[in-house]
Every structure is written in C-alpha cells, then in structure tokens.
Amino acid sequence: MGEWRLDLQFFAGEKTEKATPRKRQEVRDKGQVAKSADLVAAAVLLGALLALFLAGGYERDGLLRLFARALTDYATTPLTIDSLHLLFLDWLRHGALLLAPIFAAAVFAAWLANFLQVGALFTVEPLKMDWNRLNPVQGVKRLVSLRAVVEMVKSVLKAGVIGAVVFAVLLAEKSKLLALVAQPVAGALAEIGSLTVKMGLYAAVALLFLSLFDYLYQRFEFEKNIRMSKQDIKDEYKKTEGDPLIKSRIKQKQREMAMRRMMQEVPKADVVITNPTHYAVALRYEDGKMEAPVVVAKGADYMALKIKEVAKAHGVVTVENRPLAQALYRQTEVGDMIPEAFFQAVAEILAYVYRLKRM
C-alpha cells in the first residue's frame, strides 16, 4: 500500500475557527451584525396593532369629528385657492394627530427590537455604495443560494401561519359574523373593526414567535460567515502583538545597546567588585556630587568577564569580595545607589582603592 502525504498547510485557509473579539468588533463597526428583519417587522406590526387596540376610542372619535367637520364647516366654505390650502393643512394636522399614537408605537417597537438584537450601534458603513450588488453574476448566485431557498421557505411558512391564524379567528367568531346582518351599521362597523384588530394581533404574535427562530438562524449564519482560518488568526496576532521574530530581534538589539552603554561606563568606575568569576559590579563615587556610590555596570558569567576585561584595559581596580558582589548584583540595578546596609563595606573598599591610586 502506498502512503498518502498530507500537507497540513493546504487546510490553513479553511475557515474553521471562531472569530476573535477584534474580528467581531471590526465587522460590527461595518454594520455587520446578527439581526432578524422578520423580528423587527413582527415587532412593528404588533406595536402598531396594540396602539390601535388601546387607542381605538380616540381614533374613532377623531375620525367622526373629522367627517362631521367635512359635512358641516367644510361644505359651506367657498372653494378658493386660500381655502383649499387651509383645508389641506387642517386635514393634515388632524391626520397627524390621529396617526401619532400608532406611528410612535411602531417606531418604539422597531427601536426596541433592533436594540435587543444588536445593542447600541451607530455606523454609516451600510449606507455606502457597494457596486458588487449591481453585479449580475453575484445576483444570480444569490438567487440560487441556500439563503434564497431558506428565505422562500420562510415566506411560505409565514403566509401559511397568517392564513391559519386568520381562519382560526374567523371560525371562532363565526356566530358574531352571522349576526352582523341583524345589527345597525354603527354596531356592525365596530364589530368588524374589533375583529380585524384581533386577527392582526394574533397574526403579529404568531409572526413574532416565528421570527425568534429566524433570529437564531441569522445568528448561525453570521457566526459561520465571520469564521476565521488559522492563518487569519496568526496574521491578526502579528498585527496586534507584532511579529514574534521582529519583537525578539528588537529586544536583542535593545540588550546589545544597553550592554554597550554599560560597557562605556565601566572605564569611569572607581572599582569593580567581583565574585571572582560569576559576578562583577562596577561602582562609581564622586564626593560632594553623589550621596552614595552608584552602580554603573553589573553582570554575571560572560558579562562579568567582559566587565573585568574592560576594567583591566582602563586601569580600574578590581577587588574580590564574594558576598558583597553577590548581594550588590541581586539587590541593585544599573544606575541605582547602593543600599545603606552596604555603606560600610563599600567605604572600606573605596578607601583601599584611593590609597592604591596615591601610591
């Protein structure tokens, strides 16, 4: 049997990973969120019908007053350009007052449905022109895609649910419908209006229930569309954190520069205290300018060897003191003054160095 060799890099472009928080924020800034338009439509329909149901008396009285004025005041008004203009403005004002509760309820329901789905979001990205939408090839692909099939099934399902709800309400109110012929016109109209609102409310509730499943489907589609490949995640990490190779090189350069600066300070030191092989600490003290000796360089192993070589080349005295060298190396950093606990020991060493220099 032959062996099959698989190149794992072949699968690096497969979008199998969940989107990172940064990717989610990027698509959110572009207005791409998991949102069901059906849920918004159902909420708007339900809000408008609830407003109509609760404000039915106000709407009825307002319409009756409007028709009464049309048959009394408007009928006796001479028709001129000015009177027609005033008549139009008066009808427009009354119409706006009648529609205001329904319109306000619909707007609030739309805002609430959107806010519950996507939270607070303001972006103009979806309003920008996308020429790909005018591409006929892309249009044909959308028509024959799985999403188009799902949308068609949803439409058929919604039509079937609305038809079933309306039929069920009419069947339940059959006796009232048959009794309409014996009622006066006002009573019949009131009954028909009440029945219409009831059918609308039941249909809106049914659509709202169906739209919850559509929202779950939209979330599934959204999560699938924003998936990332392993390579995408690596590229994002490089953009966010920087290329690890470049970062390591930068750190190496920084260490080299720090070492060069430190080595430049060794010739200025008064003494180098050693372990003698593992540690080396270079100290400098200027009487009247410094409160205490300052560590100008320190190192262990290879670095300690380099410090001793530079010190020897420039005539800096090297003194072996194992415990002091170890303590200074561990408890101080380059540029620090030595701790007070070491003043006595360092002072004795500096006095020894100064005596050597005077000899």
Side-chain angles (χ1 to χ4, degrees):
M1 297 290 291
E3 293 183 357
W4 290 87
R5 293 185 178 180
L6 294 178
D7 185 1
L8 295 180
Q9 292 298 321
F10 178 78
F11 300 97
E14 292 291 330
K15 298 185 180 297
T16 57
E17 308 300 316
K18 289 185 178 181
T20 60
R22 179 176 178 177
K23 175 65 176 295
R24 292 179 183 277
Q25 187 60 43
E26 286 179 352
V27 298
R28 181 178 175 83
D29 292 340
K30 295 178 181 179
Q32 300 175 16
V33 291
K35 186 181 74 171
S36 171
D38 291 347
L39 184 59
V40 178
V44 169
L45 179 61
L46 182 60
L49 289 172
L50 279 174
L52 183 61
F53 176 76
L54 296 175
Y58 167 78
E59 301 292 336
R60 179 197 61 201
D61 295 341
L63 284 173
L64 290 177
R65 286 195 300 270
L66 192 60
F67 286 128
R69 291 191 62 180
L71 296 175
T72 55
D73 298 343
Y74 299 151
T76 59
T77 302
L79 294 179
T80 63
I81 298 297
D82 293 336
S83 65
L84 286 176
H85 179 70
L86 293 175
L87 179 64
F88 172 76
L89 293 178
D90 191 51
W91 274 73
L92 187 63
R93 180 173 62 85
H94 281 82
L97 291 175
L98 289 176
L99 294 176
I102 301 175
F103 181 77
V107 170
F108 176 76
W111 172 83
L112 183 61
N114 279 287
F115 180 78
L116 293 177
Q117 291 185 84
V118 302
L121 175 63
F122 177 79
T123 178
V124 296
E125 287 292 329
L127 301 179
K128 293 182 178 180
M129 186 64 180
D130 186 3
W131 296 104
N132 289 329
R133 296 178 181 178
L134 302 179
N135 189 340
V137 177
Q138 296 294 331
V140 173
K141 288 182 178 180
R142 287 194 293 269
L143 288 175
V144 297
S145 63
L146 177 62
R147 189 177 184 86
V149 175
V150 172
E151 292 296 328
M152 183 184 67
V153 172
K154 282 167 46 182
S155 299
V156 173
L157 185 61
K158 286 189 291 185
V161 169
I162 293 175
V165 169
V166 170
F167 178 78
V169 173
L170 291 176
L171 187 63
E173 302 291 340
K174 180 177 63 174
S175 58
K176 292 184 179 180
L177 289 174
L178 295 176
L180 289 178
V181 294
Q183 293 186 14
V185 175
L189 291 176
E191 193 67 38
I192 292 174
S194 175
L195 184 61
T196 302
V197 172
K198 183 183 293 185
M199 286 189 298
L201 285 173
Y202 286 169
V205 171
L207 288 178
L208 188 63
F209 178 75
L210 285 178
S211 63
L212 294 178
F213 292 97
D214 178 63
Y215 174 70
L216 295 177
Y217 171 74
Q218 297 297 337
R219 283 195 65 88
F220 168 76
E221 279 287 304
F222 175 74
E223 293 293 334
K224 186 176 70 172
N225 291 334
I226 66 172
R227 282 178 186 171
M228 304 174 66
S229 64
K230 296 183 184 297
Q231 187 62 41
D232 292 337
I233 295 177
K234 290 180 180 178
D235 293 341
E236 181 184 289
Y237 177 79
K238 289 181 180 179
K239 291 179 181 178
T240 305
E241 303 295 335
D243 192 332
L245 182 59
I246 295 177
K247 289 179 68 177
S248 65
R249 289 179 178 174
I250 292 175
K251 289 182 178 179
Q252 183 181 357
K253 290 292 184 181
Q254 290 174 343
R255 287 194 296 267
E256 292 175 355
M257 292 174 63
M259 185 178 70
R260 283 197 296 268
R261 287 196 300 268
M262 189 173 64
M263 290 304 176
Q264 290 173 358
E265 295 296 322
V266 173
K268 303 176 185 178
D270 294 313
V271 64
V272 175
I273 303 174
T274 65
N275 190 34
T277 56
H278 296 296
Y279 299 102
V281 180
L283 302 178
R284 182 184 177 191
Y285 178 67
E286 293 184 25
D287 190 17
K289 296 182 180 180
M290 297 180 180
E291 296 179 2
V294 175
V295 178
V296 295
K298 73 170 190 175
D301 299 327
Y302 174 75
M303 188 68 67
L305 180 62
K306 295 294 292 182
I307 291 175
K308 288 186 289 184
E309 289 178 354
V310 174
K312 183 178 179 181
H314 290 83
V316 178
V317 178
T318 301
V319 176
E320 179 181 339
N321 189 320
R322 295 171 183 263
L324 183 58
Q326 294 178 9
L328 288 174
Y329 179 84
R330 291 169 180 164
Q331 299 183 32
T332 61
E333 297 295 336
V334 175
D336 291 349
M337 289 189 301
I338 64 171
E340 187 176 353
F342 305 122
F343 280 4
Q344 181 65 33
V346 173
E348 293 176 358
I349 292 175
L350 289 176
Y352 167 73
V353 171
Y354 295 153
R355 286 197 302 270
L356 286 179
K357 289 182 177 180
R358 289 197 296 267
M359 292 178 64

